[in-house]
Every structure is written in structure tokens, then in C-alpha cells.
Amino acid sequence: MSVLLAPPTATSPGQGALSTAAYLRIASLSIAAYDFILTLPAEYRLYKSSDRKSLGLVLFIIIRYLSIVAIVVSNVGFFYHGFTPKSCDNFFYVLPVLKVLQMMVSHTILGIRTYNIAQRSVWIGRTIASAAFVFIAIEWAAALANRIPQMTNGNCMIASSHPLWPLSTWSFALAAMLYDCLTLSISTYYLLKLRSAEASAASGLVKIRERHEHLLLSKHRSFDSIIWCIARICHHMDHESTHSHSRTGG
């Protein structure tokens, strides 16, 4: 396989772009390392509290450490300047393969989450599985088709062998974002539907409570009325008895 050699000089226009890319990579590496260290205690607690054979824990481990491997491999290819054309020819496919595998795990996690939120609807499961199959196929094609190694000052990156090839980095990102938007839309719809159902149930409980309180209040008032009537009858009977006794005594 031919290797694209593009060694820029100090005055080359590509040198500025490489410097900007290097700074951005260093910044992203710093953020990733900070996030990894920051979440280590939570990861340890998750290991202790979860079943080691649970699907959620397995997917968490795979996506976490596969992402780390992909970041490390990408930056080795960019910052290491000791590649030969032969070693770069053997190395340059590693990163796109890792990137697609990482995306497949991410799609699996989002698909399972959406399927569970949709109350395991059969047609939702089939829709998600079909969409995942289509988008993953596009991602594999965008990552691997018409690709050649590119060396700049001894590093090893990947480039397109044909400038008009429609499937490139942007199409890979577009396919991933479309799948994310699909699962997010389905999840949002079912969460809003569940929230509406819970609000209706809560409203029904409030109405039942108000009705119950009204019945209790009505019973209380009826009881008060009965007591008041008995008291009036007793008072009337006492008054009649006193009046009769007065007439008898007179």
C-alpha cells in the first residue's frame, strides 16, 4: 500500500494547522485524564455495589477503557515521529477500527436504554436495531473505505485516497449523531408520556382525596345536625316537663 508522505517545512502552510491540532490534542488529553482520575472513586464504588456479570457493568467497562485505548492510539500516531512507511502501513488502520468499535458499544448502550424507557416495545426494539445496523455499516465504510496512511515528519495518520470520496470523517460523525438523535427523540417522547401519565395519576389521587374529605366533612356535618336535633328534642322535652310540673304544683 502506498504511503502519503507530506513533510512540511517550517514555512509550510500545513505547519500552523499541525501546531493547532497538537494544542487541541493536548487540551483534550488533559481534560480526559482529569475526568478519568476524578471518576475513579465512583468507578470503584460501582464495582463494589454491582454484580460483576451484569450487562450494565460490562458495557461500562468496555466503553470506558476502549475510549482510553482509542485516545492513546490516536495520539501515539500523531505525536510519535519514529514511524517508517512499513510500520505506518501496519499501524494506521488500528485507530479507525477502535473508533468504530467504540461507537458500536455506545450505540448498544443508547439502544438498550431507549428500549427500556420505551417499556420494551417490540417495534421500538426493531426500529433501534435496524437503525443501528444501517448507521454502523455507514460508519465502517466511512472509517475504512478508500483510506491510506499519511506520514508527516515521521508520524502516522490516516487520509482519504480519493478527495471526492463521499464517505469521510464528517459522514462518520453525521451517522453517529443521527443515531443519537433518533434514540434521544424516542426516549424523550416516552419520558414525557410517562410524566403526563404520572401527573394524571397524581391529579386523580388529589381528586379522590378531595372527595374523601368532602364525604368526611358531610358526615361530620350530618352528625352535628343529628346531635343538634337530639339536643333540641331533649331541651323541648325538659321544657315541657318543667311546664307541666309548674301547672301541677299550681
Side-chain angles (χ1 to χ4, degrees):
M1 181 178 292
S2 61
V3 179
L4 181 60
L5 299 175
T9 63
T11 59
S12 172
Q15 191 68 39
L18 285 174
S19 299
T20 303
Y23 292 142
L24 292 175
R25 283 178 175 270
I26 292 172
S28 63
L29 276 173
S30 302
I31 296 173
Y34 174 76
D35 179 76
F36 176 75
I37 295 172
L38 192 66
T39 54
L40 276 176
E43 181 181 356
Y44 176 71
R45 291 192 298 270
L46 179 64
Y47 290 153
K48 289 188 65 177
S49 61
S50 301
D51 181 10
R52 300 298 173 86
K53 297 181 181 180
S54 67
L55 180 61
L57 181 61
V58 171
L59 290 174
F60 168 76
I61 294 173
I62 293 175
I63 191 65
R64 182 173 173 86
Y65 288 96
L66 185 61
S67 301
I68 293 173
V69 173
I71 291 173
V72 170
V73 169
S74 173
N75 285 282
V76 167
F78 184 85
F79 287 108
Y80 180 65
H81 295 282
F83 286 98
T84 64
K86 183 178 180 180
S87 62
C88 183
D89 191 40
N90 296 326
F91 175 82
F92 84 103
Y93 266 130
V94 176
L95 176 60
V97 170
L98 288 174
K99 185 169 66 173
V100 178
L101 291 177
Q102 177 192 19
M103 198 56 61
M104 289 176 65
V105 178
S106 175
H107 291 343
T108 302
I109 293 172
L110 288 177
I112 293 174
R113 173 182 177 271
T114 304
Y115 177 64
N116 289 328
I117 290 176
Q119 301 175 356
R120 301 191 176 185
S121 170
V122 175
W123 75 272
I124 289 293
R126 291 175 180 175
T127 301
I128 294 173
S130 302
F133 178 81
V134 172
F135 288 125
I136 288 173
I138 294 174
E139 289 163 2
W140 276 110
L144 300 179
N146 288 336
R147 295 296 186 172
I148 58 173
Q150 178 179 356
M151 296 182 63
T152 305
N153 288 340
N155 69 358
C156 182
M157 301 300 292
I158 190 169
S160 176
S161 61
H162 197 292
L164 298 180
W165 174 245
L167 297 177
S168 56
T169 304
W170 70 267
S171 54
F172 179 93
L174 179 62
M177 287 188 293
L178 287 176
Y179 179 84
D180 292 348
C181 289
L182 174 65
T183 54
L184 178 62
S185 300
I186 296 174
S187 301
T188 303
Y189 169 76
Y190 275 93
L191 287 174
L192 291 176
K193 185 178 179 181
L194 179 62
R195 182 178 179 182
S196 176
E198 290 178 348
S200 299
S203 176
L205 289 175
V206 170
K207 291 179 180 178
I208 292 173
R209 182 179 177 182
E210 290 177 349
R211 190 179 304 169
H212 182 64
E213 290 177 350
H214 176 71
L215 290 174
L216 288 177
L217 185 60
S218 299
K219 291 180 180 179
H220 180 70
R221 288 175 177 173
S222 299
F223 182 74
D224 287 347
S225 300
I226 293 171
I227 296 297
W228 183 81
C229 290
I230 294 173
R232 292 295 296 174
I233 293 171
C234 291
H235 177 73
H236 180 71
M237 290 175 63
D238 183 66
H239 178 74
E240 289 292 332
S241 176
T242 303
H243 184 66
S244 300
H245 182 72
S246 297
R247 287 187 299 177
T248 304

